[in-house]
């Protein structure tokens, strides 16, 4: 009986240690989170739901730059195509991203640049947040493109 208890206690200790190490590893991965790359999704503003592509690049320190490309979706086909450059920050410790528009690449009549304030998901595959500017804007979500061939 004592032998059984000691074996059980050893196994339980190993299990708790394994959970601690995997949790610590997950937090270390979060701090190393990489937001750079291609993202696709949608955002909502006064014109309605709109396709969104982000191309995010790393700058110095927490600085990032991005290209914000927008256009129509099947549920809102009258949205024109447009694009502009953005600049902002990404903090890997909190997974928070903030971007502001700085220069038009292609400006449709009547459109303004909007910013993005979001968080990178723990998986690193999704960014969600708000479009903090006025003009009937609400939220956005973008995903990394799925790999068709691995």
């Amino acid at each position: 009986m004592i032998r059984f208890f000691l074996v059980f206690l050893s196994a339980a200790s190993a299990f708790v240690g394994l959970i601690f190490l995997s949790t610590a590893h997950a937090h270390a991965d979060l701090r190393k989170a990489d937001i750079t790359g291609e993202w696709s999704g949608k955002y909502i503003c006064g014109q309605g739901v709109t396709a969104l592509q982000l191309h995010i690049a790393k700058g110095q320190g927490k600085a990032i730059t991005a290209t914000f490309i927008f256009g129509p979706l099947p549920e809102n086909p009258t949205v024109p195509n447009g694009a502009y450059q953005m600049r902002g920050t990404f903090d890997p410790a909190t997974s928070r991203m903030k971007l502001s528009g700085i220069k038009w690449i292609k400006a449709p009549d009547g459109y303004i640049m909007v910013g993005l304030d979001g968080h990178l998901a723990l998986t690193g595959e999704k960014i969600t947040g708000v479009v903090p500017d006025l003009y009937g804007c609400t939220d956005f979500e973008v995903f990394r493109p799925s790999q068709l061939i691995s």
Side-chain angles (χ1 to χ4, degrees):
M1 182 72 162
I2 292 175
R3 182 181 284 181
F4 174 78
F5 179 74
L6 291 175
V7 170
F8 175 78
L9 188 58
S10 294
S13 295
F15 181 73
V16 169
L18 183 61
I19 290 174
F20 177 78
L21 286 175
S22 66
T23 302
H25 181 69
H27 287 290
D29 285 349
L30 180 59
R31 281 184 243 116
K32 294 184 216 173
D34 183 15
I35 199 165
T36 61
E38 306 296 317
W39 299 87
S40 296
K42 58 187 173 182
Y43 74 104
I44 300 171
C45 272
Q47 73 275 9
V49 65
T50 304
L52 169 60
Q53 290 184 325
L54 283 177
H55 306 281
I56 301 175
K58 181 138 179 63
Q60 293 184 349
K62 294 181 181 180
I64 56 174
T65 59
T67 303
F68 184 110
I69 302 167
F70 62 93
L73 285 169
E75 60 266 38
N76 194 5
T78 61
V79 172
N81 291 308
Y84 53 90
Q85 296 173 345
M86 303 182 90
R87 147 174 70 209
T89 58
F90 174 67
D91 184 349
T94 62
S95 296
R96 185 169 186 195
M97 172 198 78
K98 289 187 82 168
L99 286 164
S100 299
I102 56 169
K103 181 180 178 185
W104 280 104
I105 298 168
K106 180 180 180 185
D109 289 339
Y111 278 72
I112 62 159
M113 291 183 274
V114 295
L116 300 173
D117 187 348
H119 284 88
L120 177 65
L122 288 173
T123 63
E125 298 300 315
K126 178 179 175 181
I127 305 170
T128 57
V130 297
V131 182
D133 303 297
L134 304 175
Y135 316 105
C137 299
T138 59
D139 56 358
F140 78 96
E141 67 177 355
V142 290
F143 300 86
R144 291 193 189 273
S146 59
Q147 296 292 333
L148 297 178
I149 300 173
S150 0

